[in-house]
Amino acid sequence: VGIDPVWERLPAAIRSRVDNSSDERRARAHLEAIREYVASMFEVVAPHVPCVKLQSACFERYHGPGVVVYDQLIAMARGMNLIVIGDAKRGDIGISASHYAAGCLADSNYSDLGNELGPDALTINSYFGDDGIAPFVKVAAEQGKGLFALVRTSNPGGDAIQQLQLADGRRVCDAVAEVVAKNGSNHVGKSGYSLLGAVVGATKPEDAARLRELMPQQIFLVPGFGAQGGSADDVRACFKSDGSGAIITASRSIIYAYEKSDEKNWLKAVEAATVDMKRQVAAILQ
Amino acid sequence: VGIDPVWERLPAAIRSRVDNSSDERRARAHLEAIREYVASMFEVVAPHVPCVKLQSACFERYHGPGVVVYDQLIAMARGMNLIVIGDAKRGDIGISASHYAAGCLADSNYSDLGNELGPDALTINSYFGDDGIAPFVKVAAEQGKGLFALVRTSNPGGDAIQQLQLADGRRVCDAVAEVVAKNGSNHVGKSGYSLLGAVVGATKPEDAARLRELMPQQIFLVPGFGAQGGSADDVRACFKSDGSGAIITASRSIIYAYEKSDEKNWLKAVEAATVDMKRQVAAILQ
């Protein structure tokens, strides 16, 4: 389940409690509401799914204090034995990439920052090639953590770059897939998967089978299921024939499920949407 | 001047003051040292250059407290009339991109976050195409700010993706350049430049002239001058014939200039390197 909390869309039950806060503490009040909302999401989804993905942008929007809450929520989810993916899509080279890996993925080695537990995995951008990926792989390997590098994104605009045909017949996203496969090949665990996975959007079924072949050692993180239009049929090719190899994520269709039904019983609406999505994904694997 | 502060490379004069701090406040001590160092950098370079570029990763490495210091330093530089580029290379789509734009570019509208002034411009990643760029352009236009989208990065590994030839004869970075040019075309000021600029590495002179033609309305942000190997000759093609159109940045060759000369007079070494770089760039434009 993808957690992309936006103040304006929180349930009225939570918003009304802080909506009248003074301007002098408005951001703090919004952040408190978001923290409460996300903690409730964890409680509701934890019995049903193995993994949550937290959208960093929704917290960075509140600057330093937002990042503090993001870190706290990551630690909370890990304490509940959820696998936590930090969806921060960082990308840079050299020392900058190493610093992003230390800040956004590693468990902190600074006790005065509150002993933050980093997420279990981080999303990264692949456009820099090898030397943009290697510093993240190094830290992930040291820490026993994972990465998902962007290969094929779920938005329509990605086509203008990722879907272009190369002179040798491949697509741009194929070339990126090969860079990712190569960079992950030295870090493959006993299940046959690398610590370096790939982001492949649920809305691109025409590419999924080919990318699955090009990246046999990559776990696919598959966003865009639900609200963005990706269906169960669309994501089938992201799995291997043994049913492993893909993490399907839905965000808005689950965490805002109450908008379309019963706002008063918002937690029940979220749980029903979670179970419904789980059933859809299970049906793919039969 | 690019500001990429790394604790281990700060002058001994600054490090020795906090090196014995207890483990319980080690990160805070490092951050204080970095704040002092960067403030000194601003003082030294402000009389010589129009613009500083702050590397977000070097602050995010210290989690929430690091982001607080990053924000404070941006406000300090803006108060000194330096143009400030936030080098955060954010990239996402939809509401996530909007949130990054609000958090990493806009001046904060939350008074309880300390009235943060955002940077004048932000670096962004282009791999998502139109719908990854548009949300940033919207916020930049509302705020009278700027953006630099990655087109051709300065690292060797970028070639494996950005330099690939397309079936129609273009390079991948050419296609990205056209996406950037198109997305900036509705936001061109009276000098003929768009609020959406482009990152074009100083180490890729073979591409610069072609990219300059493909992006006539883009100001180029040109990293990789100095330590990464880009020379004055290499960056000439990034400028237009009237001498406008490019911001050349050097980071390590300036801010760590004292490592190669006189650590005792580290501020003088930094100033000398700044003046030297300025002279090299001026020579290109004669």
Side-chain angles (χ1 to χ4, degrees):
Chain A
V1 172
I3 312 277
D4 305 13
V6 175
W7 158 256
E8 289 78 8
R9 298 183 73 176
L10 300 190
I14 289 187
R15 269 189 298 132
S16 61
R17 246 176 278 158
V18 296
D19 217 4
N20 296 317
S21 65
S22 69
D23 197 52
E24 284 65 36
R25 57 177 305 279
R26 197 160 52 95
R28 307 277 173 170
H30 287 193
L31 264 173
E32 267 316 302
I34 286 172
R35 186 211 307 272
E36 180 184 337
Y37 168 77
V38 174
S40 297
M41 289 293 129
F42 291 162
E43 293 283 350
V44 172
V45 306
H48 300 292
V49 301
C51 180
V52 289
K53 176 173 81 68
L54 268 75
Q55 173 51 255
S56 181
C58 295
F59 299 90
E60 290 186 57
R61 197 243 166 292
Y62 298 97
H63 294 257
V67 175
V68 170
V69 170
Y70 173 75
D71 283 341
Q72 290 168 341
L73 288 168
I74 286 171
M76 181 189 293
R78 286 194 59 190
M80 297 167 74
N81 286 320
L82 283 160
I83 295 170
V84 182
I85 301 172
D87 192 2
K89 299 189 176 71
R90 293 298 192 265
D92 212 308
I93 55 171
I95 190 72
S96 302
S98 298
H99 275 59
Y100 277 134
C104 303
L105 177 61
D107 297 333
S108 173
N109 59 355
Y110 288 110
S111 63
D112 59 336
L113 294 177
N115 277 329
E116 278 94 353
L117 286 172
D120 296 288
L122 178 72
T123 55
I124 60 172
N125 196 299
S126 320
Y127 191 64
F128 291 93
D130 289 351
D131 32 10
I133 296 173
F136 287 101
V137 169
K138 181 170 182 289
V139 170
E142 287 165 1
Q143 297 252 328
K145 297 194 169 190
L147 297 163
F148 295 97
L150 294 180
V151 173
R152 187 74 173 101
T153 63
S154 58
N155 58 311
D159 292 1
I161 295 165
Q162 302 159 26
Q163 186 63 353
L164 291 172
Q165 189 161 27
L166 296 172
D168 60 15
R170 294 180 301 165
R171 303 283 175 173
V172 168
C173 62
D174 301 352
V176 174
E178 288 173 18
V179 167
V180 170
K182 188 186 74 177
N183 277 276
S185 61
N186 286 332
H187 301 278
V188 176
K190 55 188 171 185
S191 303
Y193 289 106
S194 170
L195 61 76
L196 177 62
V199 176
V200 176
T203 53
K204 308 292 173 187
E206 69 279 12
D207 294 327
R210 205 176 65 250
L211 294 172
R212 184 71 274 175
E213 268 184 46
L214 288 169
M215 296 185 284
Q217 297 176 322
Q218 270 58 54
I219 297 174
F220 283 15
L221 177 64
V222 186
F225 192 82
Q228 285 186 58
S231 70
D233 277 337
D234 290 338
V235 301
R236 187 169 286 116
C238 293
F239 292 92
K240 291 194 179 180
S241 57
D242 68 358
S244 72
I247 301 170
I248 312 298
T249 83
S251 303
R252 288 170 283 166
S253 59
I254 290 182
I255 68 168
Y256 301 129
Y258 49 84
E259 290 178 346
K260 288 183 182 162
S261 60
D262 182 2
E263 176 116 355
K264 272 191 194 151
N265 293 305
W266 61 280
L267 289 169
K268 281 191 179 162
V270 169
E271 182 166 32
T274 307
V275 171
D276 185 50
M277 183 228 179
K278 195 177 162 181
R279 206 172 284 140
Q280 288 178 53
V281 173
I284 306 171
L285 300 176
Q286 302 229 312
Chain B
V1 172
I3 312 278
D4 304 12
V6 176
W7 157 257
E8 289 78 8
R9 297 182 73 176
L10 300 191
I14 289 187
R15 270 189 298 133
S16 61
R17 247 176 279 159
V18 298
D19 216 3
N20 296 319
S21 63
S22 69
D23 197 52
E24 283 66 35
R25 58 177 305 280
R26 196 160 53 94
R28 308 278 174 168
H30 288 192
L31 263 175
E32 269 314 304
I34 285 172
R35 185 212 306 272
E36 179 184 338
Y37 168 77
V38 174
S40 297
M41 290 291 129
F42 291 163
E43 292 283 350
V44 172
V45 305
H48 300 293
V49 301
C51 180
V52 289
K53 176 173 79 68
L54 269 76
Q55 173 53 254
S56 182
C58 295
F59 299 90
E60 289 185 59
R61 197 241 166 293
Y62 299 97
H63 294 257
V67 174
V68 170
V69 170
Y70 173 76
D71 283 342
Q72 290 169 340
L73 288 168
I74 286 172
M76 180 189 292
R78 286 194 60 189
M80 297 166 75
N81 286 318
L82 284 159
I83 295 169
V84 182
I85 300 171
D87 193 2
K89 299 189 178 71
R90 292 299 191 268
D92 212 306
I93 54 171
I95 191 72
S96 302
S98 299
H99 275 58
Y100 277 134
C104 303
L105 177 61
D107 298 334
S108 172
N109 59 354
Y110 287 109
S111 63
D112 60 334
L113 294 177
N115 277 328
E116 279 96 352
L117 286 172
D120 296 288
L122 177 71
T123 56
I124 60 172
N125 195 298
S126 319
Y127 191 63
F128 291 93
D130 289 352
D131 32 8
I133 297 173
F136 288 101
V137 168
K138 181 169 181 288
V139 170
E142 287 164 3
Q143 297 252 330
K145 298 193 168 190
L147 297 163
F148 296 96
L150 294 181
V151 172
R152 188 73 174 101
T153 63
S154 58
N155 59 310
D159 292 2
I161 295 165
Q162 301 160 26
Q163 185 64 354
L164 291 172
Q165 188 161 26
L166 296 172
D168 60 15
R170 295 180 300 165
R171 303 283 176 172
V172 169
C173 63
D174 301 354
V176 174
E178 288 173 19
V179 168
V180 170
K182 188 186 76 175
N183 278 275
S185 61
N186 287 331
H187 300 279
V188 176
K190 55 190 174 187
S191 303
Y193 288 106
S194 170
L195 61 76
L196 177 61
V199 175
V200 177
T203 52
K204 308 293 173 186
E206 68 280 12
D207 294 326
R210 204 176 66 250
L211 295 171
R212 185 71 273 175
E213 267 183 48
L214 288 170
M215 296 185 284
Q217 297 177 323
Q218 271 58 54
I219 298 175
F220 284 13
L221 177 65
V222 186
F225 192 84
Q228 284 187 53
S231 72
D233 277 338
D234 289 338
V235 301
R236 188 170 284 116
C238 293
F239 291 92
K240 291 193 179 181
S241 56
D242 68 358
S244 73
I247 301 170
I248 312 299
T249 83
S251 302
R252 287 170 283 167
S253 60
I254 291 182
I255 68 168
Y256 301 127
Y258 49 85
E259 291 179 345
K260 288 183 182 164
S261 60
D262 182 1
E263 176 116 358
K264 273 192 194 152
N265 293 304
W266 61 279
L267 290 170
K268 282 192 179 164
V270 169
E271 182 166 32
T274 307
V275 171
D276 185 50
M277 183 230 181
K278 195 177 162 181
R279 205 173 281 138
Q280 289 178 52
V281 174
I284 307 170
L285 300 175
Q286 302 227 314

